[in-house]
Amino acid sequence: QKEVEQNSGPLSVPEGAIASLNCTYSDRGSQSFFWYRQYSGKSPELIMSIYSNGDKEDGRFTAQLNKASQYVSLLIRDSQPSDSATYLCAVNQAGTALIFGKGTTLSVSS
Amino acid sequence: SAVISQKPSRDICQRGTSLTIQCQVDSQVTMMFWYRQQPGQSLTLIATANQGSEATYESGFVIDKFPISRPNLTFSTLTVSNLSPEDSSIYLCSVERQGSPTEAFFGQGTRLTVV
């Protein structure tokens, strides 16, 4: 059974702080790793993808991947109240559907 | 990213009836996926729909309950049959961008309430 694990939260951070979201996965054959943001009542929105070990930065977002530890994380710098949402970690192999974690709820207080 | 139009966006249905959800993509895609998101839960894959072949269903999902059509490379439908309150969920279609590596994008979702 392929699994993706996330802490459900809620993770609460003050505005301007760094939010750190973590995810582990069970399938060592996973090749692609994604972070989706989902606002309440909306569909998931892709915010980051990462495919090789190391860090990938895009604006305030940094994704980190460690395949040896089967671990992927998302850092959000200078957190804003508009970042308050559920963040879903997803993994897959090429040509297969995504496997999602249960999501971490982030709350950024102003 | 692909533009995915999914409809209806929401519906309220009587138990025992069926709802058909449509998903239209603005470009040809090989694989389309249907997910269910129950209240407060993450996304669960229902089935993978390839054009020209029967859909492949995940464990716990059967064709009689969730028939899927994929008549061409830009369109798919999911029907949720014999509705019960337990089917109240958000249903999402998803496509992968052509090429490698793959990235998946979602339609707006269909919020189904069964009364």
Side-chain angles (χ1 to χ4, degrees):
Chain A
Q1 181 83 4
K2 300 176 183 178
E3 294 182 340
V4 177
E5 300 285 343
Q6 295 180 255
N7 289 326
S8 60
L11 174 65
S12 298
V13 300
E15 184 175 358
I18 296 175
S20 177
L21 305 163
N22 303 314
C23 171
T24 59
Y25 58 94
S26 64
D27 182 10
R28 286 195 172 274
S30 299
Q31 297 174 307
S32 304
F33 307 86
F34 307 94
W35 285 99
Y36 286 83
R37 178 176 61 199
Q38 187 174 28
Y39 293 113
S40 180
K42 301 294 186 182
S43 62
E45 172 192 11
L46 179 65
I47 56 171
M48 287 289 286
S49 57
I50 187 167
Y51 311 102
S52 56
N53 283 327
D55 295 358
K56 178 181 178 182
E57 186 175 320
D58 184 0
R60 296 186 295 113
F61 299 99
T62 299
Q64 300 174 316
L65 175 62
N66 183 327
K67 289 186 178 181
S69 300
Q70 296 175 240
Y71 175 90
V72 59
S73 66
L74 178 71
L75 300 178
I76 306 175
R77 291 181 299 281
D78 188 22
S79 295
Q80 302 296 309
S82 59
D83 295 324
S84 298
T86 297
Y87 289 81
L88 301 167
C89 174
V91 304
N92 74 344
Q93 297 184 16
T96 65
L98 295 172
I99 300 172
F100 284 86
K102 294 186 183 298
T104 298
T105 300
L106 172 66
S107 176
V108 181
S109 56
S110 57
Chain B
S1 65
V3 175
I4 306 167
S5 298
Q6 184 177 340
K7 59 181 181 181
S9 59
R10 58 178 63 229
D11 207 342
I12 300 173
C13 298
Q14 298 289 324
R15 61 176 75 198
T17 63
S18 299
L19 176 69
T20 296
I21 303 167
Q22 299 180 1
C23 185
Q24 178 75 52
V25 189
D26 68 341
S27 58
Q28 294 183 341
V29 293
T30 303
M31 302 173 78
M32 296 179 74
F33 306 94
W34 287 98
Y35 289 86
R36 180 177 73 183
Q37 188 173 30
Q38 294 177 303
Q41 302 296 313
S42 188
L43 283 75
T44 301
L45 180 66
I46 297 171
T48 302
N50 291 324
Q51 193 270 334
S53 62
E54 283 197 5
T56 303
Y57 290 83
E58 297 299 305
S59 176
F61 298 96
V62 296
I63 188 171
D64 289 347
K65 176 68 174 177
F66 299 98
I68 288 172
S69 76
R70 184 77 201 277
N72 57 53
L73 290 172
T74 64
F75 187 79
S76 179
T77 67
L78 168 73
T79 298
V80 189
S81 303
N82 190 22
L83 290 168
S84 67
E86 292 72 33
D87 295 320
S88 298
S89 292
I90 297 173
Y91 293 85
L92 296 138
C93 70
S94 171
V95 303
E96 292 185 346
R97 186 187 65 177
Q98 294 286 351
S100 179
T102 56
E103 294 182 347
F105 301 93
F106 288 88
Q108 303 93 322
T110 297
R111 182 181 294 271
L112 169 61
T113 302
V114 182
V115 297

